Amino acid sequence: MEEKRRAVTEPAEEVTSFTYPPRKRSTAAFLHVSLSVFLLFLNFFLAQYDKFVLSYFQADVLRTLNLSPSQYGILSGYATGIGYALLAIPVAFVADYTQARVWVLSIATLFWSLCVVFQGLSENFWQILLARIAMGIGQAPAEALSVSLISDLVSLRWIFVAESALYVGVYVGEAVSGQIATAFIKTNTPWTTALKAIGIVGVVMAFIIRLVLREPPRRSAIVSDRVEEVLHQGPRSKFASAKIQFTASLGHILRLHSFWLLTLSAGARQFSGNVFGYYMPSYLSSIYPSQVNLYSRYGIIVGVVGSFAVVAGGLISSYFTNRNIVMPLYLTAIGGMLSSIFVVLMVTSRDIVGGNESKGVGILYGVMSIAYLTAELWLGAFASLLVLLLPARTKTFGLAIYSCTIVLIYSSAPQIIGLALRDYDVESESYIQKTKVILAVLIPVGYWVAGVGFLIAIKKVRMDLAGDFIPPGQMSSKRKMGFGVFAAVLGSLVVALFVTSLVVR
């Protein structure tokens, strides 16, 4: 025990032992791994696309389907969040238990792609709501499965870079959406066409994934893994094995010192990101009405700067793997805090120059680039660090618990904003001013809350990586009660916001 505690206080020593021996690959194997990661990137990009359509075409969606701001909040919030929460965890558990992650991902991709097509065919609120709930169910395991597969496809030395390449899909998605939005606006093409097209492409992608990807062998856990010991204790029935695997996996997560603080901090960070993604493009368009190429340039900045930043975060974290494996937490915390300053400058860019639109938009593009450069270093590097804390056999399940929780947290953002804006005409000056205040307050607050949480979590992560978990059977009543209270509060918040948004128009 004394040796274990020394490992916590000497991070350089503890990190060195995490290095995997180098793996020699043939050229064919290397190319297949590269192609597999690329396909996972494409699939993840497609899974993000519908969100950008709703964001860029917010006014058109509201007008076409005769929606209120609170109903739009439902579509961009818990419509997908609830479906995600319902199926993310059980689907991920099945994928781990059956060791058929590729099959599960292929079927899920096919299902959500068809749901996106149905969104493009929707003619009223209830039709698109049901289609988005179903789509959320299909997209539920996509992120966890992709991160899990990549962590087994590449070596530890490159895991931070490969996971970051996956998350480039988020930024490429917004960049492509910006170009498409500009083209559609100029040609008066309806937003429904974009959804139908991406759904059809997704169907094709589902079959390509199944044909090309192969289930990779699981890596040994980077930390002491009691789950594997439990799973190999003699023959059992399939039901008994599944029950023991579920209990052992959940127990491991509950006994980690850092997992839940990391999850809550990431939830706060993604809360701000969701506010940014769903409301910033339409707000900027409203304060710069004469800038017909604003969506296009906005998308280019997001695509180029965001992609560069997330890959840079992966490269920096990879370089520091053997020196400071918690580098992703520093990048995430400090980067978000710095970015909050430039987000406020984005929101007030026109006010800074006294209302001059041509000067204001120049400031906007500059501070927006810096905001993305500082804020978006984290996604791939953070996911890599998180997966290293989880048992090899059940990491998809652990990732799903993480992603399910943060989805329920950040999906509340559009719900709350939709309710706050329900009494305003979407094209009125008062709606624009109210949106400005919301963006200037909620985004920076979320970044700072997350940043503080990540910095506090650094010591706890080092303890977990050293194998210094809470011993089995010794979890305090206070800790158990805390988990119960958190689950009850989060569940109550979801139900309250969802029902209120349906009732209040």
Side-chain angles (χ1 to χ4, degrees), residues 229-269:
E229 297 174 13
V230 173
L231 296 180
H232 288 92
Q233 289 177 359
R236 307 182 187 91
S237 66
K238 289 184 178 180
F239 177 78
S241 296
K243 181 180 178 181
I244 290 173
Q245 180 168 324
F246 178 85
T247 304
S249 304
L250 185 60
H252 176 88
I253 291 170
L254 294 177
R255 291 186 293 109
L256 288 171
H257 296 285
S258 63
F259 183 85
W260 294 102
L261 181 54
L262 292 174
T263 300
L264 290 175
S265 300
R269 180 62 183 271

Side-chain angles (χ1 to χ4, degrees), residues 385-399:
L385 180 62
L386 189 67
V387 79
L388 296 178
L389 292 169
L390 300 171
R393 178 81 172 270
T394 60
K395 56 189 168 186
T396 314
F397 175 71
L399 288 166

Side-chain angles (χ1 to χ4, degrees), residues 271-351:
F271 180 97
S272 292
N274 223 25
V275 174
F276 196 113
Y278 275 112
Y279 288 92
M280 187 66 81
S282 58
Y283 165 75
L284 294 176
S285 177
S286 66
I287 65 172
Y288 292 106
S290 67
Q291 302 297 317
V292 294
N293 292 319
L294 186 138
Y295 280 158
S296 175
R297 291 174 182 173
Y298 180 100
I300 290 173
I301 291 173
V302 173
V304 175
V305 179
S307 298
F308 173 83
V310 73
V311 173
L315 288 169
I316 293 170
S317 299
S318 181
Y319 178 78
F320 282 97
T321 298
N322 294 329
R323 306 178 190 184
N324 189 357
I325 202 166
V326 295
M327 178 57 69
L329 299 184
Y330 287 108
L331 294 176
T332 307
I334 298 172
M337 291 173 175
L338 289 175
S339 180
S340 65
I341 300 170
F342 299 100
V343 169
V344 174
L345 292 176
M346 283 180 63
V347 175
T348 59
S349 56
R350 188 169 178 180
D351 297 331

Side-chain angles (χ1 to χ4, degrees), residues 17-33:
S17 64
F18 296 153
T19 309
Y20 287 119
R23 298 169 66 185
K24 294 183 179 180
R25 295 183 186 274
S26 66
T27 302
F30 173 79
L31 291 175
H32 185 263
V33 168

Side-chain angles (χ1 to χ4, degrees), residues 90-111:
V91 170
F93 178 79
V94 169
D96 275 338
Y97 180 72
T98 60
Q99 301 189 49
R101 291 172 292 180
V102 174
W103 265 110
V104 172
L105 182 61
S106 302
I107 295 171
T109 300
L110 177 62
F111 181 75

Side-chain angles (χ1 to χ4, degrees), residues 64-112:
T64 303
L65 300 178
N66 192 27
L67 305 179
S68 67
S70 61
Q71 288 176 323
Y72 176 82
I74 294 175
L75 295 180
S76 52
Y78 283 138
T80 53
I82 288 179
Y84 199 116
L86 286 174
L87 274 232
I89 295 174
V91 170
F93 178 79
V94 169
D96 275 338
Y97 180 72
T98 60
Q99 301 189 49
R101 291 172 292 180
V102 174
W103 265 110
V104 172
L105 182 61
S106 302
I107 295 171
T109 300
L110 177 62
F111 181 75
W112 70 251

Side-chain angles (χ1 to χ4, degrees), residues 12-90:
E13 289 285 327
E14 91 191 28
V15 171
T16 304
S17 64
F18 296 153
T19 309
Y20 287 119
R23 298 169 66 185
K24 294 183 179 180
R25 295 183 186 274
S26 66
T27 302
F30 173 79
L31 291 175
H32 185 263
V33 168
S34 301
L35 178 60
S36 298
V37 173
F38 179 68
L39 289 176
L40 291 171
F41 150 76
L42 285 180
N43 184 63
F44 193 62
F45 149 65
L46 293 174
Q48 309 294 315
Y49 187 82
D50 67 282
K51 176 178 71 175
F52 302 128
V53 172
L54 286 187
S55 174
Y56 281 107
F57 294 97
Q58 178 185 354
D60 290 339
V61 173
L62 289 168
R63 183 171 53 254
T64 303
L65 300 178
N66 192 27
L67 305 179
S68 67
S70 61
Q71 288 176 323
Y72 176 82
I74 294 175
L75 295 180
S76 52
Y78 283 138
T80 53
I82 288 179
Y84 199 116
L86 286 174
L87 274 232
I89 295 174

